[in-house]
């Protein structure tokens, strides 16, 4: 199995830049590497400063790159399903072009990205696959797609499977709509997605890295992503703060740099015990392999970019009847006074020498904090339903 590194974060924070830089660094260390952009708003070609296509192509020694293209993937992986959707739509009177567009059903973009990952992982051609993923919301859709499809497969389809097979054949005969073939395709696809999921949920194989900037809105989104990734069982092994301005700034940037210090501290408090990697602002746009190498230097110096930087879970939510416990890993926290406060879906905890500021799963905003205690390196905060 190759190692899989997934970069996500808010739009514009530097996901593509960090993903490409990481891939380049892996390749320079001798690992056969692929960087795969799954963000429909592709910018990988700009980052590496050369045109890219929907299949892997070499851009440096041991380094391949590609941008997933939904329409190309639809032809490659699910010809029958596309045919099915198109013929159903045309049957209902939609014209051919509209039918082609509509054949891109929700989830297909994410699905095709996962199928590419599956194929590339199985090819044996790569030691490391770097995913330049979409912004956090879409990435969570991507990562939960296999679970959602499994649910459909197990709950909704088993009963209909035989019916669709029999009826589908008759439908194809009389109307030309390939219902049965489309179904077979779907069945095969769902099976494949299940395989990709095992790959993504194995923390020794896949690590997500959260990219952010020292800015309020960006940090909020990254915190939420961190919480949800852990809730869904994905390994997150580093937080990356990109575009950190170094040294003193004057004029228009002075205030920005002053605020930056506070945000860097908040990031430590929000993502600890994850390692926080800082990347300096290069003072210019980053494109081309030379500048990407500088980004990689800032990120990893002489560490192995493909190593697992953090492996133990640090956030757990447990249900007990009506109540919930949120457990936070706080290694090295000294016993002492604990102060815990809830602000909507945020929890702020001060434990003697340590401070934590985490985002709660959204539903806990409707619960109230009733107590917090420290034991065995874990802080456990108790929540009960609001009256
Ligand atoms: N460390 C950095 N220093 C200077 N510019 C950067 C840095 N990281 C990213 N950029 C620039 O910021 C912009 C957004 O980066 P990009 O990687 O495309 O973000 P995303 O993929 O998250 O949307 C690009 O113009 C890129 O060149
Ligand atoms: Mg991008």
């Amino acid at each position: 199995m190759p190692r899989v590194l997934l970069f996500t974060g808010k739009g514009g924070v530097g996901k593509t830049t960090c993903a490409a830089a990481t891939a380049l660094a892996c390749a320079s260390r001798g690992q056969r590497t692929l960087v795969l952009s799954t963000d429909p708003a592709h910018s990988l070609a700009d980052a590496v400063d050369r045109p890219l296509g929907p299949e892997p192509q070499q851009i440096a020694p041991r380094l391949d790159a590609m941008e997933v293209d939904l329409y190309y993937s639809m032809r490659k992986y699910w010809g029958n399903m596309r045919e099915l959707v198109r013929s159903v739509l045309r049957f209902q009177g939609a014209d051919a072009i509209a039918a082609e567009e509509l054949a891109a059903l929700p989830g297909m973009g994410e699905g095709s990205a996962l199928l590419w990952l599956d194929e590339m992982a199985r090819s044996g051609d790569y030691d490391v696959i770097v995913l330049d993923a979409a912004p956090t919301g879409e990435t969570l859709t991507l990562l939960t797609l296999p679970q959602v499809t499994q649910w459909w497969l197990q709950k909704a389809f088993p009963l209909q499977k035989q019916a669709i097979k029999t009826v589908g054949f008759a439908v194809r005969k009389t109307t030309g709509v390939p219902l049965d073939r489309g179904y077979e395709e779907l069945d095969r696809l769902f099976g494949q997605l299940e395989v990709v999921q095992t790959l993504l949920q194995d923390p020794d194989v896949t690590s997500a890295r959260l990219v952010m900037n020292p800015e309020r809105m960006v940090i909020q989104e990254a915190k939420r992503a961190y919480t949800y990734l852990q809730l869904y069982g994905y390994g997150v092994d580093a937080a990356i703060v990109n575009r950190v301005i170094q040294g003193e700034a004057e004029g228009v940037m002075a205030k920005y740099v002053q605020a930056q210090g506070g945000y860097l501290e908040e990031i430590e408090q929000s993502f600890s015990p994850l390692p926080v990697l800082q990347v300096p602002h290069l003072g210019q746009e980053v494109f081309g392999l030379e500048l990407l190498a500088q980004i990689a230097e800032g990120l990893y110096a002489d560490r192995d970019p493909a190593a697992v930087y953090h492996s133990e879970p640090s956030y757990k939510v447990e249900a007990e009847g009506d109540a919930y416990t949120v457990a936070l890993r706080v290694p090295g926290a000294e016993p002492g006074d604990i102060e815990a406060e809830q602000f909507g879906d945020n929890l702020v905890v001060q434990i003697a020498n340590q401070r934590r500021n985490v985002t709660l799963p959204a539903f806990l905003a409707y619960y109230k904090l009733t107590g917090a205690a420290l034991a065995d390196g874990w802080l456990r905060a108790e929540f009960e339903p609001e009256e």
Side-chain angles (χ1 to χ4, degrees):
M1 267 306 138
R3 177 94 164 98
V4 178
L5 303 171
L6 181 152
F7 288 78
T8 188
K10 199 170 160 69
V13 293
K15 296 179 292 295
T16 302
T17 306
C18 292
T22 301
L24 180 65
C26 290
S28 337
R29 293 173 70 98
Q31 290 157 311
R32 295 166 308 155
T33 308
L34 170 69
V35 52
L36 176 77
S37 165
T38 66
D39 185 353
H42 292 302
S43 59
L44 186 58
D46 287 324
V48 300
D49 200 20
R50 66 199 63 186
L52 296 175
E55 294 270 355
Q57 85 190 46
Q58 189 174 4
I59 58 166
R62 292 177 300 275
L63 179 58
D64 289 358
M66 66 170 277
E67 294 181 332
V68 172
D69 176 324
L70 175 58
Y71 290 94
Y72 180 87
S73 308
M74 271 165 52
R75 280 168 205 280
K76 180 173 169 123
Y77 288 114
W78 35 45
N80 284 327
M81 240 174 43
R82 172 166 151 271
E83 213 28 65
L84 169 72
V85 176
R86 280 173 60 201
S87 30
V88 170
L89 291 170
R90 251 183 272 153
F91 196 67
Q92 293 175 343
D95 65 37
I97 295 172
E100 183 82 32
E101 272 299 319
L102 286 170
L105 293 171
M108 278 205 158
E110 287 86 4
S112 64
L114 291 174
L115 295 177
W116 276 101
L117 172 61
D118 179 52
E119 183 173 324
M120 293 299 117
R122 268 192 292 181
S123 71
D125 291 344
Y126 302 106
D127 305 310
V128 183
I129 298 177
V130 179
L131 296 177
D132 168 20
T136 33
E138 286 96 318
T139 297
L140 287 170
T141 309
L142 172 92
L143 294 173
T144 48
L145 188 69
Q147 274 140 314
V148 175
T149 52
Q150 267 178 50
W151 185 90
W152 280 104
L153 202 62
Q154 284 161 8
K155 297 282 188 320
F157 277 128
L159 302 167
Q160 290 169 26
K161 195 166 185 166
Q162 211 44 50
I164 292 178
K165 277 196 177 143
T166 341
V167 178
F169 179 72
V171 170
R172 170 153 55 90
K173 280 278 173 219
T174 49
T175 65
V177 175
L179 196 60
D180 50 343
R181 298 213 178 126
Y183 183 80
E184 274 164 36
E185 193 104 331
L186 199 64
D187 199 24
R188 192 176 57 75
L189 280 173
F190 282 9
Q192 229 169 323
L193 289 180
E194 217 169 311
V195 176
V196 192
Q197 169 142 48
T198 51
L199 193 97
L200 289 170
Q201 283 197 321
D202 180 344
D204 293 329
V205 175
T206 304
S207 298
R209 294 185 182 162
L210 289 168
V211 186
M212 66 200 84
N213 306 130
E215 291 167 18
R216 180 194 298 268
M217 308 279 275
V218 171
I219 299 170
Q220 280 306 330
E221 184 163 325
K223 282 170 63 178
R224 201 159 295 127
Y226 185 39
T227 295
Y228 280 95
L229 285 167
Q230 293 192 92
L231 283 180
Y232 294 145
Y234 295 97
V236 180
D237 82 340
I240 295 172
V241 195
N242 184 32
R243 294 205 296 250
V244 176
I245 297 175
Q246 296 188 312
E248 302 276 308
E250 282 172 26
V252 286
M253 290 309 282
K255 272 206 175 121
Y256 186 91
V257 172
Q258 205 182 348
Q260 175 179 277
Y263 289 132
L264 290 173
E265 200 170 307
E266 183 184 341
I267 290 168
E268 289 288 345
Q269 290 167 0
S270 304
F271 296 92
S272 168
L274 278 191
V276 176
L277 314 178
Q278 284 191 20
V279 186
H281 197 299
L282 293 193
Q284 65 181 105
E285 273 187 280
V286 184
F287 51 84
L289 302 185
E290 229 165 275
L291 289 173
L292 288 173
Q294 279 186 42
I295 296 281
E297 177 63 28
L299 266 172
Y300 306 107
D302 47 14
R303 287 175 294 188
D304 176 5
V308 180
Y309 283 92
H310 184 80
S311 56
E312 58 172 331
S314 50
Y315 190 113
K316 289 189 275 195
V317 178
E318 294 150 3
E320 268 174 30
D322 266 358
Y324 284 91
T325 302
V326 172
L328 305 177
R329 181 91 180 107
V330 280
E334 284 159 19
D337 289 342
I338 296 173
E339 270 174 58
E341 233 181 317
Q342 178 187 11
F343 302 94
D345 66 353
N346 266 281
L347 175 68
V348 179
V349 187
Q350 179 79 44
I351 320 152
N353 55 336
Q354 287 204 36
R355 195 178 164 85
R356 282 289 193 288
N357 175 346
V358 301
T359 299
L360 298 167
F363 76 92
L364 281 182
Y366 299 95
Y367 283 64
K368 66 172 189 292
L369 178 69
T370 54
L374 183 71
D376 307 324
W378 287 86
L379 184 279
R380 311 185 97 80
E382 314 279 344
F383 292 84
E384 278 175 14
E386 255 173 13
E387 302 305 314

